[in-house]
Amino acid sequence: MKEDFKTQIFDIFGTVDLEQLRAIAQKVQLIESEKPHNERGAGRKNSLTPQQLAEMLALHQQGMGATELAKKYGISRQTIYKQLERAQNFSNDPNTMLRLNYMNRNDLCTTIDVDFKHEKIKIKNYTDKIPLRAFGMVENPTWEDFQWFLKDRCFPETRAHLKWVLSDVGVPFYDPLMIIEKTKGKMAEDQQWIEVIHRKAS
């Protein structure tokens, strides 16, 4: 094998030994053969992973309908509606009233659950790429870190003609979270943005 090709194989499978690679291939074939399947060739899925759910919400926000989503994920339209409903009930903590999904294109990078009452946040990272995480290498960000993050994803308060800019965005005064709800935290220099999900009223 060429050296660069061997490196790619090792990165994917963790080995370049032919016997070990054959064993891995046999295991994959066995797993695939034991999967239940229907006429469409897709197994029934009762729920989506957080990454899939965030992607589905992103696609739904971009205009993809339930029928298209059902085909993409191999589940029924009824299940799609249930999963969209599930996204609004994201935490067992009644004080968590908001979730921010920090996305890179349609890929989930970090979830941020927000407790305004106690000024606390809880995060979970879904990527090993530090620059794509909401708080980089910080695993337990503070409320101050969260405030900085929000400000970093919108235009500065010192921007010229601020009142006109706020009016164009549709917010009455400078509040980073309110601005992000309108702009989705999109910046010209990267492909990252924020899904803002409010807890559904019970």
Side-chain angles (χ1 to χ4, degrees):
M1 295 183 193
K2 292 184 178 179
E3 196 60 33
D4 57 339
F5 188 55
K6 288 175 69 174
T7 301
Q8 292 175 19
I9 291 175
F10 185 86
D11 287 342
I12 296 170
F13 298 103
T15 182
V16 292
D17 181 85
L18 291 177
E19 290 303 317
Q20 290 181 353
L21 290 171
R22 288 192 184 97
I24 291 170
Q26 288 174 351
K27 285 181 181 178
V28 171
Q29 289 176 343
L30 180 62
I31 291 168
E32 288 297 321
S33 67
E34 291 177 349
K35 283 184 179 179
H37 60 278
N38 52 31
E39 291 180 355
R40 294 177 300 180
R44 288 184 175 272
K45 299 177 183 177
N46 295 321
S47 62
L48 302 176
T49 65
Q51 298 95 318
Q52 289 174 318
L53 188 57
E55 180 189 53
M56 184 189 72
L57 285 169
L59 294 171
H60 186 63
Q61 288 181 8
Q62 293 165 24
M64 185 176 284
T67 300
E68 292 174 280
L69 289 169
K71 288 179 180 177
K72 177 176 175 62
Y73 294 102
I75 55 182
S76 68
R77 282 182 297 177
Q78 182 181 4
T79 304
I80 289 291
Y81 293 131
K82 286 181 180 178
Q83 294 301 317
L84 289 171
E85 181 90 5
R86 173 187 163 208
Q88 296 177 325
N89 298 293
F90 45 78
S91 175
N92 293 324
D93 183 353
N95 292 314
T96 300
M97 302 305 296
L98 189 75
R99 167 169 284 183
L100 305 182
N101 284 336
Y102 190 50
M103 312 287 291
N104 184 53
R105 299 181 187 271
N106 289 331
D107 296 325
L108 177 62
C109 297
T110 304
T111 56
I112 309 168
D113 287 347
V114 186
D115 174 356
F116 291 102
K117 182 178 179 180
H118 301 101
E119 295 192 343
K120 292 180 179 179
I121 62 169
K122 183 179 180 181
I123 73 165
K124 184 172 182 179
N125 292 311
Y126 291 89
T127 177
D128 293 329
K129 298 178 180 177
I130 301 299
L132 297 183
R133 294 179 175 182
F135 299 93
M137 295 180 67
V138 179
E139 297 288 345
N140 297 293
T142 64
W143 189 254
E144 289 71 26
D145 292 327
F146 176 56
Q147 299 305 308
W148 175 88
F149 166 76
L150 295 177
K151 289 180 180 179
D152 191 54
R153 296 307 301 184
C154 61
F155 51 81
E157 194 170 6
T158 55
R159 183 162 176 173
H161 311 295
L162 181 64
K163 288 185 179 180
W164 294 347
V165 176
L166 292 173
S167 178
D168 286 342
V169 172
V171 296
F173 53 87
Y174 188 85
D175 180 283
L177 183 55
M178 289 174 62
I179 293 168
I180 285 171
E181 289 199 68
K182 297 290 186 178
T183 65
K184 299 186 184 299
K186 293 180 178 179
M187 308 295 284
E189 59 267 24
D190 60 37
Q191 299 294 323
Q192 296 194 267
W193 60 284
I194 301 168
E195 279 180 343
V196 180
I197 309 169
H198 292 269
R199 176 187 287 279
K200 185 179 179 182
S202 56

